[in-house]
Amino acid sequence: MWRRSLSSILSSAQPVRLNGSCSSVSGKKWTRPGGFDTALQTFNSLSRQKEPLILTREGVATWYSCGPTVYDHAHLGHACSYVRFDILQRILSRLFGITVIHAMVITDIDDKIIRRSWEENVSPSVISSMYEEEFKRDMLSLKVIPPAAYLRVTENVHHIVAFIERIIQNGHAYATKEGDVYFDIRSIGDRYGKFVGAVDSQGEPGDTNKRDSRDFALWKPSKPQEPAWKSPWGRGRPGWHIECSTIASSVFGSQLDIHSGGIDLAFPHHENEIAQSEAYHQCGQWANYFLHSGHLHLKGSAEKMSKSLKNYITIKDFLQSYSANEFRMFCLLTKYRSALDYSDNSMLEARTSLGTISAFIHDAQAYMRGQLQCSSVQEALLWERLAETKSSVVKALADDFDTPRAISAVMNLVYHGNCQLHPVAKCDGAARSPAVFAAMVSYIRDVLDVFGIDMHSKEADEVSSRGSLEGVVEQLTRFRSEVRAFALTRQDGQTKRALYPERMSLLKACDALRNDLAPLGVLIKDRGSTSTWEITQRVQDKDQEASS
């Protein structure tokens, strides 16, 4: 399905009305769209309950998300939202075969950007360009798949002006003599307030010439030394909300399948987006599904992580202590709609889960290679558990992307696999079952790859540099195993426990070598008369320190 060019996909996503999906229904009630049922259910903020996910076009989901306002470093609060929705998009595309066409706006002109430019004594474009590039690098470091298109506000101002003009023509906005343009809330009657709490809001602060305190700015005149663009209402710049309505419509037209963002954007930002877009397109339901992610909190704090509260951890700083895989597992262990508590303990839980999976894969591979001798394996039971896990994971993810339940199913499979890997000192000639462990390892890797977690190696970019090191460790471990086997030889005609006393020093030397290598990142496990080895994260850390 990915063979189609991006241009052909986007061209097919131009506004088309199917089964009256862009309806003229009034009021706040969500209308179930016509189209193609995916057999998935997702929690829709518009109806405040789980709904069947129905797409306008078979096998294609149009998806718009609010991007960052680029005036400062991105932090874990941003990462939490973008990684979670990246996971959802990966699930749709890689597990359920749905092509996701994702567009994201970059807010590169804003009051905060202007203030920062004054503080730094540079132009707003310098500030926005610098932090936009940093944001993109951060997303790549977290393995977030880039959208089909990043669109900047400054490059779409002419579209925004035309969009506002149409809203005025349709009778839903008005200009003031001072050069402001406001959306007229009263003009849409009871349609405003689709999200909880919206109707109780006092609206945004603004000019006293507003007809209603809830009216919000579509265009505002620029102050001296602020960036400005020409418009029918004088030189000025766009309001915050209008940028998303305009840009989403320029890509997807009058019908959007999915709109995502943090829960803090539901009101007023997404509420106002809906009002503007439906006023422009003259339709009753512009976006069919709104998906909102929960806030990220520092453990023990009721406040969300944010720049304004100065309680954030930058993505770059975070990645000095933890990996992208560990952060993704941290996100997977909680439903995407739920709030997340960030702490060292919660990250340790994610790291431990990955470590458990990694250890099982390592042991299963050792068993497959004949390095790990085990008692007879209940092969039929493992094939049954594998089939159950596959079914459970699909059911969990089809039910509002329930990643905690899916991960629990995978960990249960790992548990049953570990229960069968009982090392023995001497092979008793029992039949071996490498195929079922190969199937389990392959499935676990594949399903974690769906989530963006790479279990094929410690880090994909480390494979080539570690090749020679692994060869050295393999030879060292093999030599140690031979020495150890010699030291463990029993005396003829003696009791089972009797070893050659003169060889005990060799056995102690083998143990000392194992213990000395562990802090250096080489973990040797003795399995009866044989041994297995694993290179842990510490070697990578030391290599990085040396290269820096």
Side-chain angles (χ1 to χ4, degrees), residues 474-489:
E474 172 65 28
Q475 293 298 324
L476 177 63
T477 305
R478 185 178 299 173
F479 174 76
R480 178 184 174 276
S481 295
E482 291 176 0
V483 173
R484 188 168 174 273
F486 176 74
L488 289 171
T489 303

Side-chain angles (χ1 to χ4, degrees), residues 115-410:
R115 283 198 298 269
R116 188 64 179 266
S117 72
W118 290 344
E119 292 170 2
E120 302 291 336
N121 196 28
V122 295
S123 69
S125 62
V126 170
I127 294 295
S128 61
S129 296
M130 178 175 64
Y131 287 113
E132 177 186 339
E133 291 308 310
E134 183 181 290
F135 168 78
K136 291 177 180 177
R137 287 194 300 270
D138 285 340
M139 292 299 103
L140 288 175
S141 69
L142 291 170
K143 304 179 185 178
V144 174
I145 298 173
Y150 282 114
L151 300 107
R152 300 183 186 92
V153 172
T154 56
E155 295 173 353
N156 286 271
V157 174
H158 59 296
H159 291 309
I160 293 173
V161 170
F163 202 90
I164 296 172
E165 286 184 297
R166 172 77 68 86
I167 295 176
I168 293 174
Q169 292 169 8
N170 290 341
H172 297 294
Y174 57 92
T176 69
K177 61 183 180 180
E178 291 82 10
D180 294 283
V181 180
Y182 291 105
F183 188 87
D184 188 354
I185 293 293
R186 295 177 185 174
S187 70
I188 60 173
D190 66 351
R191 295 186 58 77
Y192 194 74
K194 293 179 185 291
F195 296 119
V196 176
V199 289
D200 299 324
S201 173
Q202 297 301 308
E204 300 176 353
D207 193 277
T208 55
N209 292 325
K210 290 197 295 184
R211 296 175 183 173
D212 189 297
S213 62
R214 298 172 299 166
D215 293 351
F216 54 89
L218 305 182
W219 185 265
K220 49 190 177 183
S222 293
K223 298 174 184 177
Q225 299 182 339
E226 288 186 351
W229 288 263
K230 293 180 180 179
S231 81
W233 318 287
R235 291 180 63 79
R237 55 191 175 91
W240 173 32
H241 315 296
I242 194 66
E243 64 189 45
C244 286
S245 294
T246 301
I247 292 174
S249 295
S250 71
V251 177
F252 300 119
S254 62
Q255 194 68 71
L256 176 64
D257 290 320
I258 300 170
H259 193 311
S260 66
I263 187 61
D264 54 314
L265 296 177
F267 188 87
H269 186 53
H270 291 162
E271 183 72 48
N272 293 348
E273 272 190 70
I274 293 171
Q276 295 163 156
S277 300
E278 294 177 357
Y280 175 89
H281 295 294
Q282 294 289 279
C283 68
Q285 190 162 286
W286 165 61
N288 288 328
Y289 300 88
F290 269 84
L291 275 54
H292 289 118
S293 60
H295 285 149
L296 179 69
H297 301 265
L298 288 172
K299 188 70 173 179
S301 173
E303 298 173 325
K304 70 170 185 174
M305 186 178 290
S306 72
K307 296 174 186 174
S308 59
L309 296 173
K310 305 295 183 183
N311 64 348
Y312 64 88
I313 301 169
T314 67
I315 295 170
K316 186 176 181 180
D317 287 344
F318 169 83
L319 290 174
Q320 297 296 313
S321 302
Y322 301 101
S323 69
N325 281 349
E326 288 166 343
F327 187 73
R328 282 181 173 266
M329 180 59 76
F330 167 68
C331 292
L332 288 163
L333 292 174
T334 306
K335 290 185 179 181
Y336 76 95
R337 293 190 290 113
S338 302
L340 269 172
D341 282 329
Y342 173 80
S343 67
D344 287 336
N345 285 339
S346 59
M347 287 307 305
L348 180 60
E349 180 185 1
R351 177 174 285 177
T352 301
S353 297
L354 281 175
T356 300
I357 295 171
S358 180
F360 166 71
I361 291 175
H362 180 266
D363 290 349
Q365 288 176 325
Y367 174 80
M368 286 184 274
R369 289 193 297 261
Q371 295 177 327
L372 179 59
Q373 303 295 335
C374 289
S375 55
S376 182
V377 169
Q378 294 179 278
E379 185 173 344
L381 174 65
L382 291 183
W383 283 116
E384 182 181 340
R385 296 299 185 194
L386 178 58
E388 290 174 354
T389 302
K390 290 180 178 181
S391 175
S392 296
V393 167
V394 171
K395 288 179 181 177
L397 298 179
D399 182 14
D400 195 29
F401 309 99
D402 194 341
T403 58
R405 186 149 52 101
I407 291 297
S408 177
V410 171

Side-chain angles (χ1 to χ4, degrees), residues 141 316-324 326 351 458-463 465-466 469 520 535-548:
S141 69
K316 186 176 181 180
D317 287 344
F318 169 83
L319 290 174
Q320 297 296 313
S321 302
Y322 301 101
S323 69
E326 288 166 343
R351 177 174 285 177
K458 291 297 180 183
E459 290 296 333
D461 59 357
E462 194 187 347
V463 173
S465 64
R466 285 177 48 178
L469 175 61
L520 301 176
I535 298 177
T536 64
Q537 189 70 27
R538 294 183 184 181
V539 167
Q540 180 190 359
D541 295 341
K542 290 182 180 294
D543 288 345
Q544 289 175 344
E545 290 173 8
S547 63
S548 61

